[in-house]
Every structure is written in structure tokens, then in C-alpha cells.
Amino acid sequence: GWYRLEAPPLDVPPGGRAAVWLPRLNMNAEVWVNGRWVGTGGGFERPVAQNWNRPLLFPFPAELLREGGPIDVRLFAYRGDWGGLDPIHVGPHAALAPAHASRHALQIDVARFASAVALLLTLLFFALFLAADRRPLYGYAALAALFYFVHSLAAHLREIVVPYVFGRWLIHATFDAFAVCMIFGFHRLFAIRAPRLERVLLAYLACGATATALAGPDRFLDVALVFHALAGLLPLYAVARLLGRYRQLPRTPRRVILASTLATLLVSAHALAIQAGLLPQSAPRLLHLLAPVLFLAFGTILLSDFLRAYREARALNRELDARGQEKEAELAQSYE
């Protein structure tokens, strides 16, 4: 679709630069100023460039709007998705660039950092899994980090190489899988036995992945929202179980897990409110801000647990060596 907006004359010094800023859009856009093309968010061939989380800034010579004129925006959105364009900003480039840089840092740079953290923790947890005789706790932590890494790519990758329908399904499915794996790891970390619940969660994952795969483009987001809402209840469950055993747990782990779980609950509720339309689509997405904190908190506890077990094993080995030497000395004395 096309938007045409009449811009007033710009008061910019001769030779200065102006800009059109699109704070939020879905999915891709390109802009003309007074009939002159000034920029695009990427390719329009399917799968089109992904800009649902990326602000776009298009600078141009200010002379193009010295007398005012039309600004044309060509917008592409996939059927059944949140197609739309927030109010755009037109003005001196120097005035718009700082706001664009701040939003880009919040939405894109932090998302890239979250992906990097998730990838590094995937490797770390997998290494701990192998080093600790394949202990399930580290295996579920590695899977959770891997699922989040895949999910997080959608927030900052502009070009994708897979069909959009498959990519959208994968992003939503990995979010639910991440939540379930975190609960499985939570159970193992605090020695909670809940085999029936874990079977229910595995069935929930299978049903969610199947239902969203079979849903058509017009119903996909509604179906995905139902399963995301169920995943959003898992932090409530974790908080309830943690509070029930709060006094029995070591002080540092219980505080770290409780704080990160409460933060997860609040941010998940915020994300679900945007998906359900309770908050405007222009509201900032915060989910990618939480993941690095959550993973680092969980990773700190897991690494601390691994190092504690390692120190205990070394101490036990030293004790066994000392006992062996004592026995050797006793045998030698008896022989003499």
C-alpha cells in the first residue's frame, strides 16, 4: 500500500540535510520526497526485508522540501500480520538522528547482544553438560539458550533465507520451547520432581507447534497468542514453587532466581499485552532486554553449582589420596 503525506516547508540552512524517520513499521518500506526516491528498508522480493523491530531513517537534501511537498511511503505487510505504519517524522537530520540512534540501540543493538549472549551460553552449557557426565540440568539449560538464540534472530536480522511462513512459525515455536526448557532446568536445579507436569508441557509444545503450523495466515497470530499466553503462566508457577521452598534453598540462588523470574513474568505480561492489543503496537518491545539478564543469572547459578561440585570432587580426591598414603605408611610400618 501507499501513503501520501503533505509536508510543510522546512527551515534548514542551504546545503543542509533533512530526514524522514519511521520509528516503527511492519514489514518494509521505501520513501519518496517530492517524487525523488530517498531510501528503502531493504528488498521487496519475498521474503522481504524484516523491519518490524527496526526504525528507519532516510536522510535527503533539504532543498527537496524547501517549499514543502508530498512524501510518499510504500509499505509492504504480510497477510495476517500486524501491517502498519506509525506516525512519521520529517525534519532536520541533526534533530532526528539522536532519537533514531537511541531507538535503534534499544531495539536492534540490544537484540544483537542478547543473541550473542544466548549463543555463548549455549556453548558454555553444552560444555558443562559434557563435562558433568551429561547431567540433565546443563542439557536443558543448553537447549533453552539455543531456542532463545533462534527466537532472538527475528528481532535484528534484516534479510532471511527461509520462506517467511516457516520463519514465522519457527520464531513462535522456539519461544514456547525456550519457556518449557527453562522450567525443566528449574526443576533439576532445585530438585523438584514433577514428571506429570513435564509430560503435560511436552504435549503442550507438540500441540502448539502443530496448531500454528496448520493455522492459515489469517489465524496464525491468534493461535500463537493462545499458546504464548500459556507459556506466560510458567513464571507464575516457578514463583509459586520457589516461594513454597524459599527457606530451604541457599540464599544467593533463591534470590537470583526469584528476582529473574518476577522480571520474566512482568516482561512476558507486557509482550502479551502488545500481542493482544491491550497496549499499542508502537509500545517498545522489552522481551529481548530480559533474556541476557535471565540467562546470566541462571548461568551464574549453574556455573557456581558446577564449580562447587568440582571443588568437592577435588577435596574428596585429596582426602582419598591422604587416606591411601596413611594406609601405605601403616602397611610399611606393619611390615617392618
Side-chain angles (χ1 to χ4, degrees), residues 322-336:
R323 290 181 181 179
Q325 292 173 5
E326 290 176 3
K327 292 297 182 182
E328 289 180 2
E330 291 177 3
L331 288 172
Q333 185 177 3
S334 298
Y335 179 76
E336 292 174 359

Side-chain angles (χ1 to χ4, degrees), residues 120-178:
L120 290 174
L121 289 177
T122 299
L123 299 175
L124 173 62
F125 293 152
F126 184 68
L128 292 177
F129 173 70
L130 295 178
D133 297 326
R134 291 174 170 75
R135 187 178 175 190
L137 171 62
Y138 303 123
Y140 287 121
L143 283 176
L146 177 62
F147 284 133
Y148 182 79
F149 169 71
V150 176
H151 172 77
S152 68
L153 295 177
H156 59 85
L157 282 186
R158 187 194 297 265
E159 307 293 341
I160 62 174
V161 296
V162 298
Y164 171 73
V165 173
F166 173 74
R168 180 174 64 171
W169 171 85
L170 183 65
I171 294 306
H172 286 270
T174 49
F175 175 78
D176 295 337
F178 156 72

Side-chain angles (χ1 to χ4, degrees), residues 181-197:
C181 285
M182 289 295 288
I183 291 297
F184 277 45
F186 173 80
H187 283 167
R188 273 102 189 133
L189 179 63
F190 294 113
I192 297 173
R193 293 186 55 81
R196 183 176 300 177
L197 173 62

